[in-house]
Amino acid sequence: MDRRKFIRQSALSGLALSALPTMSFNQTTGSEYQVHQITNGQVQHWFGYYDKWQIDPTGRYALGMEVGMIFRSPQPGDVIKIGLIDLEYDNRWKEIGTTKAWSWQQGCMLQWIPGSTEEVIWNDREGDGFISRVYNIKSGKSRKLPRAVYTLSPDGTFGLSVNFARLQDMRPGYGYAVPGGVGDLQKAPDHDGIYRMDLRTGESKLIISLEKLSKLSRPLGSVADNFHWCNHLLVNPAGDRFIFLNRSRPYRVTDEMKKEPDWVSKYVSRKHVTRAVTANVDGSGIYVLNDSGYFSHFIWKDNEVVAAWAMPEDNDREAFYRFFDKTKNYELIAPEKMPYNGHNTYVPNTNNEWILNDTYPLGEERLQHLYLFHVPTKKRVDLGSFHQPPKFYSEWRCDLHPRCDQQGKRVFFDSTHNDDQRQMYMIDIEKIVRG
């Protein structure tokens, strides 16, 4: 056994595994569960973020994106392919479109429209503006909507959007590149912010402006004079409120700053003030849920509770917490079993008893750990540990971003553990969560 494989196996055995089914240990994946690769080839495949439906309601089709072997920020002319994967027919890939609006972390917001077995949506660029395309997998027909989407309502009737060019300027790696850049930016304009768009008619309107957000009082220090932006929007299960991150910092990242080798860590990463904000889906009822300055990955547990890796306003401990909407109440979530920041979701159809989560690369071997956590018993079930090569870093890193199918039977994730390739994988978890 070579040194890398030995360290991987040793790292997994030290994670306090719960009672797992008897299966052979796979040294490549660091998993006692069968890991199925669903994409391959000398190109990169991935899905992106963890809070969107990759799998259709029938469980047969998966969505994915394809790009060549590039390791840099996306440029305005870079085109990626959109694919439909038939999980019941040897994972056959069928190209259904392309896009020039994408990022490494969140892709092109590709996803199934909630409730539909036929329609998928993704963002694209026409000229200097961003749009979204709705594609019907049965008819092959598509239609265009006048705005790019960030998140969709659970009933699939509307989407929420932001200015993706501004987002890319302020937070490289999450927005979309435009020819010539965005030029001058106002710090907090009254004509930009969060938009709501009807997915049937395309009608849209600004519901919360950046100017309004900048003027919200902040006891820990005003951010009124900062450059503001919004990202990570997510509607609650009832479809009546949503959460988002309002981020700001005193400066823009200049071209001179970008010439420095470590410019991302020096000027971008965690150099902003983050406030978690909730609001009604018409823009009313704004409430600052957390104003500590640090709030990371989150998911709605139900219509009133958000589970997030964050720092509360009254202490400096970063951990997973449950935050209760429209209050300052919170509860700590099992720090001994979920000690690191990750992309957490609740497994569907388990009455919110199971949390799916991952980690960033840890230790000398850069292992990303994928696991399930059973809330009632505080049992952790580790699904595997996956190596990320050093060349996957900065905005083109490959987070696992684990997501379930809509039945809560399988986990899908992006990974680079197999021959240093970015590909998509699946693990069956039905016996674990239903056992």
Side-chain angles (χ1 to χ4, degrees), residues 404-420:
C404 284
D405 59 16
Q406 299 193 39
Q407 293 74 34
K409 296 180 179 180
R410 295 169 295 179
V411 169
F412 294 80
F413 60 100
D414 310 325
S415 180
T416 56
H417 68 272
N418 188 12
D419 294 327
D420 294 355

Side-chain angles (χ1 to χ4, degrees), residues 5 23 33-34 39 42 57 72 87 107 117 145 171 184 218 221 236 264 333 348 356 365 378 412 417 431:
K5 291 181 178 179
M23 297 183 69
Y33 294 94
Q34 189 169 5
T39 57
Q42 296 303 308
R72 56 167 172 76
L87 300 172
T117 60
L145 294 171
R171 186 67 168 95
D184 292 334
R218 185 170 185 268
N236 72 355
V264 174
I333 304 177
L356 172 65
E365 288 301 299
K378 292 184 170 52
F412 294 80
H417 68 272
K431 290 184 179 179

Side-chain angles (χ1 to χ4, degrees), residues 163-177 181-185 227 229 249 251-255 258 263 268:
N163 181 338
F164 284 92
R166 183 184 183 94
L167 176 57
Q168 177 65 9
D169 186 272
M170 296 304 303
R171 186 67 168 95
Y174 290 83
Y176 306 142
V182 297
D184 292 334
L185 284 183
F227 287 89
W229 72 97
R249 62 169 173 261
Y251 57 87
R252 291 178 65 187
V253 178
T254 66
D255 290 339
K258 292 180 182 179
W263 69 272
V268 177

Side-chain angles (χ1 to χ4, degrees), residues 118-133:
E118 299 182 3
E119 288 192 322
V120 302
I121 191 171
W122 68 83
N123 294 337
D124 200 356
R125 195 187 83 238
E126 284 193 345
D128 293 341
F130 297 111
I131 62 168
S132 51
R133 300 189 188 278

Side-chain angles (χ1 to χ4, degrees), residues 89-122:
Y89 191 65
D90 297 326
N91 299 322
R92 181 180 61 179
W93 170 280
K94 176 185 176 182
E95 184 178 331
I96 60 175
T98 62
T99 179
K100 293 184 289 185
W102 62 281
S103 67
W104 286 112
Q105 294 309 301
Q106 298 186 301
C108 56
M109 302 300 181
L110 174 66
Q111 60 192 292
W112 292 90
I113 293 181
S116 176
T117 60
E118 299 182 3
E119 288 192 322
V120 302
I121 191 171
W122 68 83

Side-chain angles (χ1 to χ4, degrees), residues 147 160-164 166 188-196 205-211 213 228-231 233 244:
R147 284 195 179 277
L160 299 177
S161 181
V162 300
N163 181 338
F164 284 92
R166 183 184 183 94
D190 62 359
H191 58 272
D192 197 359
I194 297 175
Y195 304 82
R196 173 173 169 164
K205 65 177 181 178
L206 180 68
I207 59 172
I208 300 177
S209 73
L210 294 176
E211 180 187 42
L213 293 173
H228 285 256
W229 72 97
C230 297
N231 61 344
L233 287 63
F244 62 95

Side-chain angles (χ1 to χ4, degrees), residues 93 150 161 178 188 212 239 277 280 346 375 435:
W93 170 280
Y150 202 112
S161 181
V178 292
K212 186 171 187 177
V277 183
N280 296 328
Y346 285 89
V375 178

